[in-house]
Amino acid sequence: MPNISKAFEALVNSSIPEHCIKNKIIPNDQYSFKFKHSTVHAINRFLRDTTKHLNNHEMVAASLINLEKAFDSVWLKGLFYKLIKKEFPSRLIWTMLQNRRFFVVSNTTQSTKLFNIQEGLQQGTVNSPLLFNIYNSDILNLLELNCNNTYSIAFADDLLVYFAGKYPIKIQNTLETLVNKINNYYTKWNLKINAQKCETILIRLPIDRLNIREKSNWRNFEIKIQQNNESYEALAEILVAIRK
């Protein structure tokens, strides 16, 4: 990237975080590329929520959602629409994002043809992580992700959603419905869940601490992700919380 472009990007970047904070655009559940936020805070949040429900003799099921080529898949016109809706200096940012081109280099040979970049955010630039957070911010405010024993934690393009309850069947159905709603939302905005890399975890107390109804149906706990008329099954890893 030319030096003048880097300077322009840094200038634009100085105004974006301030606007995000002032208008509360990036949800508190997003822990990446935010001042005084890190993976440590995200892990502590998950441990706190899980411990609370285990102390109430409940199970916690979590789905770790992985996006495929997240930054490269950002729909730029969709991003521009969101910037307008959120009252950013959108034309200034759009000027920075449009009419980008690239060439290919192999060893000492460089292609003579320039290729247009139609979609996606350029990785390694100052603004791309924050613009992705803006593009992805709405998912954390939709679908009632943080109420009624349902939680979410995001770190850049990784999303963790989890649900707590006493009975495996209800937990499984609730989590599966939620994950597929998230999948449908991402599809509308040109993002794709990598279903084969998603993981599911069920955290429970030792078996002797569970009643008969709680003991049933947890061994084959899994969720199914519907994608392109295909169903991907994520069989849960069972974690037992040893508590005195």
Side-chain angles (χ1 to χ4, degrees):
M1 181 181 290
N3 289 334
I4 190 170
S5 298
K6 292 180 180 178
F8 177 68
E9 186 180 62
L11 178 65
V12 173
N13 189 64
S14 64
S15 64
I16 296 177
E18 182 179 346
H19 186 82
C20 287
I21 294 171
K22 181 179 179 181
N23 296 280
K24 299 180 180 179
I25 290 171
I26 308 298
N28 292 330
D29 308 304
Q30 174 62 261
Y31 287 85
S32 71
F33 309 114
K34 289 176 66 179
F35 183 61
K36 293 185 177 180
H37 284 68
S38 70
T39 51
V40 174
H41 298 95
I43 292 170
N44 283 339
R45 157 85 186 283
F46 180 66
L47 290 175
R48 182 197 68 193
D49 293 338
T50 301
T51 301
K52 178 183 73 174
H53 288 289
L54 289 174
N55 286 338
N56 290 333
H57 292 269
E58 295 175 308
M59 303 178 191
V60 177
S63 182
L64 293 84
I65 298 174
N66 177 271
L67 287 176
E68 184 176 305
K69 299 179 181 178
F71 278 63
D72 294 335
S73 302
V74 170
W75 176 32
L76 292 182
K77 289 184 178 179
L79 172 61
F80 189 48
Y81 168 79
K82 291 194 175 191
L83 292 173
I84 293 173
K85 293 284 287 185
K86 299 177 190 300
E87 299 181 346
F88 279 91
S90 50
R91 291 195 178 277
L92 192 62
I93 299 174
W94 182 247
T95 301
M96 181 181 64
L97 294 176
Q98 68 176 347
N99 298 325
R100 295 171 303 154
R101 295 184 293 176
F102 70 96
F103 56 84
V104 178
V105 176
S106 177
N107 296 324
T108 59
T109 304
Q110 177 180 314
S111 64
T112 56
K113 182 178 179 180
L114 291 175
F115 300 89
N116 293 322
I117 300 176
Q118 302 291 342
E119 305 292 355
L121 294 170
Q122 186 176 350
Q123 297 194 46
T125 63
V126 175
N127 287 322
S128 290
L130 189 52
L131 289 174
F132 183 83
N133 274 358
I134 295 168
Y135 186 70
N136 196 40
S137 62
D138 290 335
I139 188 67
L140 297 173
N141 293 323
L142 298 173
L143 308 177
E144 298 182 345
L145 276 176
N146 288 286
C147 62
N148 300 322
N149 289 348
T150 304
Y151 306 90
S152 66
I153 294 174
F155 197 89
D157 56 337
D158 293 316
L159 179 63
L160 171 67
V161 292
Y162 48 108
F163 177 76
K166 284 186 174 294
Y167 308 116
I169 289 295
K170 180 181 179 181
I171 299 172
Q172 177 176 304
N173 291 339
T174 301
L175 188 62
E176 183 173 287
T177 299
L178 183 59
V179 169
N180 279 288
K181 284 182 177 180
I182 292 171
N183 182 45
N184 291 337
Y185 172 86
Y186 277 146
T187 300
K188 291 178 182 178
W189 290 93
N190 202 47
L191 296 174
K192 182 181 179 182
I193 288 178
N194 191 337
Q196 294 176 318
K197 288 189 176 181
C198 292
E199 300 287 346
T200 305
I201 302 171
L202 179 66
I203 305 171
R204 63 165 177 80
L205 293 171
I207 197 70
D208 60 352
R209 303 278 296 275
L210 305 177
N211 62 39
I212 294 176
R213 188 177 175 188
E214 292 168 345
K215 290 178 182 179
S216 62
N217 301 310
W218 62 264
R219 293 183 184 278
N220 296 316
F221 189 98
E222 66 180 10
I223 64 169
K224 296 180 180 180
I225 303 175
Q226 300 295 330
Q227 209 170 62
N228 298 328
N229 297 321
E230 295 184 13
S231 178
Y232 296 89
E233 297 180 355
L235 187 64
E237 295 285 342
I238 310 299
L239 301 183
V240 180
I242 307 299
R243 304 189 60 80
K244 297 180 180 180

